[in-house]
Amino acid sequence: MSDVQSTYTMSNLANINSNDAIKTMKLYTHVDRIKTELTARGLLSQNPIDPIVLSEIDSMHYLGNAAIEAAVAAMGLTASSKVLDVGSGFGGPARILSSLTKCHVVALELQQDIHDLGAELTRRCKLSDSVDHVSGDILEDKIGQQLGYGVSSFDAIVSYLVFLHIPNKGSVLDVCRKLLKPNGTLFVEDFFCISPFTKVEVESLARDVFCKDLPSREEYIQQLELSGYKNIQFIDMTTEWTQCVTKRLEHFIANKDGYVKVHGEEAYSGLLEFYAAIAALFSGGNLGGVRIVAQMI
């Protein structure tokens, strides 16, 4: 973690933990865009909605369903698996995990509006029997009870681009370890610090990504070990994600007229700001992307 990053965020971003503050991320505003897009494509009236088709609209992670398939393979999920998705967003990954393997997924989401829409979409996909939506904070003291499960309850825990919002990685890793069964698997996609961020990058990470104090590769692995994880795989996804976010931005700009026609100028401008910020951060060479696979033994 860079000195400039640590000093700047500590002094200027003390209030970043407010739940409302995360809405500085333009990705988390205009959440009605999902249903608006479904309507525009003539899919909202379908009953049930195909979760695979829906995933083209509701996913907020990188590389689409290939990232979900990677989790299935890494964790060896089957129909008997019980999985926790931390920061489940609109529920896309949870629905695909269940659709691919018939596993049972508990989708935990902090933001109430996103949780509500995720639960509705799961009902529309006729997957409520296999995907449970819970509104809550993974760092709550009694999160196990809130989820309806105790310690050592889950065969696997997945999380896509959510841990980056939690400065204290040790706290969230410890909670996940307690919730995992022995030999359970943690699968996380996250950001890390390759080299010191510039002041502009620190500001962008805080404002545009709701993110501060990213660990280096070495710091992340050390924290995983301190939290009791074994067989740690730290898979660098930086090149693939840089290409992904760059192409996403280019495609979004090229299709501006169509997006504005459906969603309006304000929604377009907000997402454009977010997509541009992410592309700039990855292109700067200091921000890295990682896929972590680790076991609780």
Side-chain angles (χ1 to χ4, degrees), residues 247-268:
K247 290 179 180 178
R248 178 177 66 178
L249 175 62
E250 293 171 349
H251 181 267
F252 194 64
I253 293 173
N255 290 276
K256 175 183 178 179
D257 291 345
Y259 194 91
V260 170
K261 182 178 180 180
V262 173
H263 299 277
E265 187 71 43
E266 183 180 349
Y268 173 81

Side-chain angles (χ1 to χ4, degrees), residues 57-75:
I57 301 170
D58 66 5
S59 294
M60 295 190 284
H61 59 277
Y62 305 137
L63 305 181
N65 289 339
I68 313 299
E69 294 166 357
V72 170
M75 298 185 293

Side-chain angles (χ1 to χ4, degrees), residues 64-141:
N65 289 339
I68 313 299
E69 294 166 357
V72 170
M75 298 185 293
L77 298 182
T78 66
S80 64
S81 299
K82 187 181 297 180
V83 183
L84 173 64
D85 183 358
V86 178
S88 54
F90 299 114
R95 288 187 288 271
I96 299 303
L97 284 170
S98 183
S99 297
L100 293 176
T101 68
K102 308 305 180 186
C103 68
H104 188 89
V105 185
V106 177
L108 177 66
E109 172 55 41
L110 176 65
Q111 300 180 69
Q112 189 66 48
D113 56 346
I114 293 178
H115 157 79
D116 291 342
L117 180 53
E120 178 184 349
L121 292 172
T122 293
R123 289 192 296 271
R124 296 294 302 276
C125 292
K126 303 295 186 185
L127 287 172
S128 295
D129 288 344
S130 56
V131 179
D132 295 331
H133 286 265
V134 177
S135 175
D137 186 344
I138 187 64
L139 299 180
E140 285 289 336
D141 291 339

Side-chain angles (χ1 to χ4, degrees), residues 229-244:
Y229 293 91
K230 306 293 183 183
N231 301 329
I232 299 167
Q233 300 177 55
F234 193 95
I235 305 166
D236 194 324
M237 301 295 293
T238 306
T239 299
E240 293 92 331
W241 289 4
T242 300
Q243 294 171 350
C244 176

Side-chain angles (χ1 to χ4, degrees), residues 84-87 108 137-140 143 157-159 162-180 186 188 190 215 220 223-224 227 229 292:
L84 173 64
D85 183 358
V86 178
L108 177 66
D137 186 344
I138 187 64
L139 299 180
E140 285 289 336
I143 188 61
I157 295 178
V158 301
S159 188
V162 172
F163 283 21
L164 59 92
H165 300 313
I166 304 172
N168 186 348
K169 295 294 184 289
S171 61
V172 67
L173 290 172
D174 287 347
V175 172
C176 290
R177 175 180 53 77
K178 293 174 182 176
L179 292 171
L180 279 171
L186 178 72
V188 174
D190 200 8
Y220 215 140
Q223 187 58 66
L224 283 158
S227 294
Y229 293 91
I292 295 170

